[in-house]
Structures are given as structure tokens and as C-alpha cells.
């Protein structure tokens, strides 16, 4: 009996090893930092939501679109997925694999259909705010990718205002936006709940737009141009109750912007942080910094924020509500806070008209500034290469 039991256990272990080996092989092939768990998450997402588009998968599993696209292609070659006009669908072989090898059984998504996992639902007041904000969001200038700008959707900006209101962080409170390329200050001020709303940002274009909307809607939003590589002006130190920031998606950037928020809060207060989903190792470093600042991660809602045209971060980031006491700043290298400064990358785009290939990241810094001799204005990225740091 012992021999039979031993053989059965050995067979089971071989199956587990084969499953892990398959998932690990795909993860290694696409170079996803999250490893085999990321591949399993993609399969689970498809199993629960099929048919589902590649973009929706990326938003669901919080992975960049290129990664999800590569995994999907490999799974199709392995015959676990089949093509469908409406999106990814598991084949019979795929269903057998996820049910027998991965043990999946839940065939539908259990997120709240009303809030889509955001934990907030608009009432009539916020629906009206959203309707207005959609108009003003269309007036935003072109994003400046050099400073990690990416515009959140009007629904996201309004949802941010709604959750801050629901948590009691707007009524009678002085609110500071440490950067506001998403124009979240506008729906926040439209609530009529705050005693003061102030926006500090480095981009004149956005500050001008916010000021114009504020004047038109009688919102009294104060706007000031400021580079957060410098400490805050004394008039803003220890004067605010609630901070909102959507910083550059680097650890240095997040820590610097939160430190500026601490200057504005003083010893205690609330800070809302919108930040990109990262591999576990990078999350741990961010969490250490948050703890060292004496912030408690009171709430963290994955996939709360959605952005326009930012497939590289899966179009989505989390929102964290941090509660602080006896707050402490952390000094970082403020000379390198943006992604392009810390992880310089050369990207190669092909003109869709004449097929000429152009390099972006050296002489031409942004795809927005790229022009082709033929007059073509549409480009397709064909490859990217990291710049070796000296």
C-alpha cells in the first residue's frame, strides 16, 4: 500500500512540475517580471470573462498591453486559445488545462457590476459633475511624455472626487493637488465641499486651463506653477488637510511627490496616491518608503484609475488612501524622477506612409514631436532598446 501511495504522490508531483514548467516557460519567453503567476492570472481572466479583448485583459490583470498580447499569441500557438471576433476564448484544450491543471472553477467575474471594483457609485450630483467634466477634459493639451504625463479619463477624475468626498476628506477641508494633469481638481471643486482647493503643477498649459474653468464655473481654484524638485513655498507648508497626487511612475518620483505632500500636511493628514501596478519587488520598496514616512495604507483599490492611451501601464493604476501621523519626509535624488531619466529608452517608429524608420529618444525626444519627410503623420512602433547607463 505504501508503494502505491508513493507512486500516486510522485505522479501528482510530476503533474505540478509540468504545469509550473509550462507557465514558467511562457513567462520567461515574454520576460514578464511577475513570472508564471502573471500567465495564470491571464488564463483565469479569460476563463471568467470570455470572450474578452486584449486591452480588457491588460486592465483586469494590471499588466502592460505588449506583455498580454505576447502571452495571448503564445497561448494561441499552444492551442489553448482560439481566435474570436469578440476577443480571447479558451479552446477545449484550454478549458481542460485551466480546469484540470490549474483547478479553476469560478466561471464568472465577481466584481460589483455597479462600481466595477472601485467601491464608489455616483449619485445624481456626481453624474452632473461628470457630464460637465467630460466637456472640459476634451480641452486638455497634448500629453508631455517627458514628464510622465498620461491623462486619466473624466470618469476617473470624477470618481476620485467622489471617493474623497465619501471618505470625509473634502468637507471643510483644504485640499492640495501635487500635480494635476488629470484635472481632478475641477470635479473636486465642483462638489462645493472644500474650504480651499489649490493646484501646483509644472505645466503652464494645464494651469491655464484649470484657471479658465475655475473662473467660468466660479470654483475659486488657486493655481501655482511649481517644479516639485524644489521644496514647497512657505505659504503652502503645514496648511492642508488632504493631498492628492498622481506622480511620475518611478519610486523616486513617488517618494518626492509624497514628500512635498508631507510638507503641505505637516505632522498629520490624508494623502491619496495614484500609482502604477508594479512587480512585487518594486511594490515592496514603495511600501517601505510609505511606512518610513509614517503613512498607513488604510485603503488600496487596484485598477481604480483608467487612462487614455497608456497601454504601457495597462491603462490603469491603483488608488491608495494613506493616513499619516508624525509624518517624515524622505530625501531622494530629485534630479532623476521621470521614467525617461531613470530608464532611458530608444524607440523605433515606422512611418505608415513611406515606411521609413525613425528613432525617438535621442535627438527627437517624444513621438509627439516626430515628423516624416514624406508628410506622413501616423507611425507604428516596431521595436525598443534600452540605453546603457554610463
Amino acid at each position: 500500500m505504501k508503494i502505491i501511495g508513493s507512486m500516486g504522490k510522485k505522479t501528482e508531483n510530476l503533474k505540478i512540475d509540468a504545469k509550473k514548467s509550462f507557465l514558467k516557460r511562457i513567462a520567461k519567453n515574454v520576460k514578464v517580471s511577475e513570472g508564471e503567476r502573471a500567465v495564470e492570472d491571464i488564463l483565469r481572466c479569460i476563463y471568467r470573462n470570455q470572450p474578452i479583448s486584449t486591452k480588457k485583459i491588460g486592465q483586469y490583470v494590471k499588466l502592460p498591453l505588449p506583455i498580454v498580447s505576447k502571452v495571448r499569441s503564445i497561448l494561441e500557438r499552444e492551442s489553448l486559445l482560439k481566435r474570436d471576433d469578440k476577443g480571447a476564448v479558451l479552446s477545449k484544450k484550454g478549458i481542460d488545462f485551466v480546469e484540470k491543471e490549474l483547478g479553476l472553477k469560478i466561471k464568472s467575474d465577481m466584481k460589483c457590476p455597479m462600481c466595477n471594483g472601485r467601491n464608489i457609485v455616483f449619485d445624481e450630483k456626481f453624474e452632473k459633475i461628470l457630464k460637465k467634466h467630460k466637456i472640459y477634459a476634451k480641452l486638455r493639451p497634448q500629453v508631455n511624455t517627458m514628464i510622465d504625463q498620461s491623462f486619466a479619463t473624466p470618469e476617473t477624475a470624477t470618481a476620485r472626487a467622489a471617493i474623497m468626498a465619501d471618505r470625509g476628506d473634502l468637507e471643510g477641508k483644504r485640499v492640495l493637488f501635487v500635480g494635476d494633469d488629470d484635472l481632478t481638481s475641477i470635479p473636486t471643486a465642483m462638489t462645493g465641499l472644500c474650504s480651499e482647493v489649490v493646484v501646483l503643477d509644472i505645466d503652464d498649459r494645464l494651469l491655464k486651463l484649470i484657471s479658465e474653468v475655475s473662473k467660468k464655473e466660479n470654483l475659486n481654484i488657486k493655481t501655482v506653477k511649481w517644479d516639485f524638485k524644489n521644496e514647497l513655498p512657505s505659504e503652502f507648508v503645514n496648511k492642508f488637510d488632504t493631498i492628492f497626487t498622481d506622480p511620475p511612475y518611478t519610486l523616486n518620483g513617488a517618494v518626492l511627490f509624497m514628500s512635498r505632500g508631507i510638507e503641505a500636511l505637516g505632522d498629520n493628514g490624508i494623502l491619496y496616491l495614484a500609482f502604477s501596478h508594479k512587480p512585487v519587488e518594486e511594490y515592496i520598496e514603495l511600501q517601505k518608503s510609505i511606512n518610513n514616512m509614517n503613512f498607513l495604507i488604510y485603503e488600496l483599490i487596484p485598477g481604480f484609475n483608467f487612462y487614455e492611451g497608456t497601454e504601457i501601464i495597462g491603462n490603469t493604476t491603483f488608488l491608495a488612501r494613506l493616513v499619516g501621523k508624525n509624518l517624515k519626509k524622505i530625501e531622494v535624488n530629485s534630479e532623476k524622477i521621470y521614467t525617461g531619466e531613470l530608464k532611458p529608452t530608444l524607440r523605433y517608429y515606422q512611418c505608415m506612409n513611406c515606411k521609413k524608420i525613425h528613432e525617438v529618444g535621442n535627438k527627437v525626444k517624444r513621438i509627439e514631436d516626430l515628423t516624416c519627410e514624406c508628410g506622413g503623420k501616423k507611425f507604428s512602433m516596431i521595436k525598443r532598446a534600452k540605453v546603457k547607463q554610463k
Side-chain angles (χ1 to χ4, degrees), residues 63-250:
L63 287 172
L65 195 60
I67 293 291
V68 176
S69 183
K70 286 181 182 178
V71 172
R72 181 178 175 180
S73 295
I74 293 172
L75 292 175
E76 286 175 353
R77 288 202 299 270
E78 298 282 350
S79 300
L80 295 185
L81 297 182
K82 57 184 180 181
R83 281 282 175 181
D84 186 281
D85 292 339
K86 296 181 180 179
V89 176
L90 288 166
S91 64
K92 185 179 183 305
K93 179 181 176 181
I95 292 173
D96 287 343
F97 177 78
V98 298
E99 290 182 345
K100 294 178 182 178
E101 303 300 327
L102 302 184
L104 303 190
K105 295 179 180 178
I106 300 173
K107 294 185 178 182
S108 60
D109 187 52
M110 294 185 287
K111 286 190 181 70
C112 170
M114 293 293 291
C115 72
N116 197 29
R118 271 182 169 152
N119 294 343
I120 200 78
V121 178
F122 294 165
D123 60 10
E124 185 178 347
K125 176 178 181 176
F126 279 95
E127 286 291 354
K128 289 180 179 178
I129 290 174
L130 173 59
K131 187 176 181 180
K132 274 190 175 182
H133 190 50
K134 282 182 176 180
I135 297 170
Y136 296 128
K138 292 178 181 178
L139 303 177
R140 289 180 295 196
Q142 190 176 51
V143 295
N144 182 354
T145 54
M146 295 290 291
I147 54 174
D148 286 3
Q149 278 185 354
S150 56
F151 294 154
T153 63
E155 290 81 4
T156 292
T158 306
R160 290 170 173 177
I163 200 166
M164 286 192 287
D166 181 75
R167 292 341 186 228
D169 298 325
L170 297 186
E171 292 166 301
K173 301 294 191 288
R174 299 183 69 182
V175 183
L176 173 68
F177 288 84
V178 180
D180 190 26
D181 56 6
D182 302 318
L183 308 186
T184 305
S185 59
I186 293 174
T188 298
M190 282 181 175
T191 65
L193 300 174
C194 313
S195 63
E196 185 177 11
V197 176
V198 178
V199 176
L200 301 185
D201 201 287
I202 197 172
D203 194 327
D204 284 315
R205 306 169 304 163
L206 290 166
L207 293 173
K208 182 182 178 184
L209 175 57
I210 293 170
S211 294
E212 289 173 350
V213 174
S214 176
K215 186 176 180 180
K216 181 179 179 180
E217 295 287 341
N218 195 28
L219 300 177
N220 296 316
I221 301 173
K222 182 176 182 178
T223 60
V224 179
K225 183 176 182 180
W226 198 254
D227 184 345
F228 296 113
K229 291 181 178 181
N230 303 312
E231 292 186 347
L232 296 189
S234 58
E235 64 180 294
F236 299 122
V237 174
N238 196 18
K239 296 289 173 61
F240 293 87
D241 308 293
T242 303
I243 307 296
F244 192 100
T245 188
D246 190 338
Y249 298 135
T250 65

Side-chain angles (χ1 to χ4, degrees), residues 297-352:
I297 304 175
Y298 198 85
E299 291 180 88
L300 192 150
I301 307 173
F304 186 96
N305 309 288
F306 286 85
Y307 301 81
E308 298 169 353
T310 53
E311 282 79 9
I312 196 63
I313 58 170
N315 294 99
T316 181
T317 64
F318 69 74
L319 181 68
R321 181 175 182 261
L322 311 181
V323 179
K325 189 172 184 179
N326 300 322
L327 291 166
K328 298 182 292 186
K329 295 192 300 180
I330 296 179
E331 298 300 326
V332 296
N333 177 10
S334 61
E335 295 304 312
K336 292 186 177 182
I337 62 171
Y338 299 112
T339 303
E341 295 170 339
L342 288 166
K343 298 178 181 179
T345 304
L346 293 177
R347 301 177 301 282
Y348 296 88
Y349 291 85
Q350 187 175 56
C351 174
M352 298 182 72

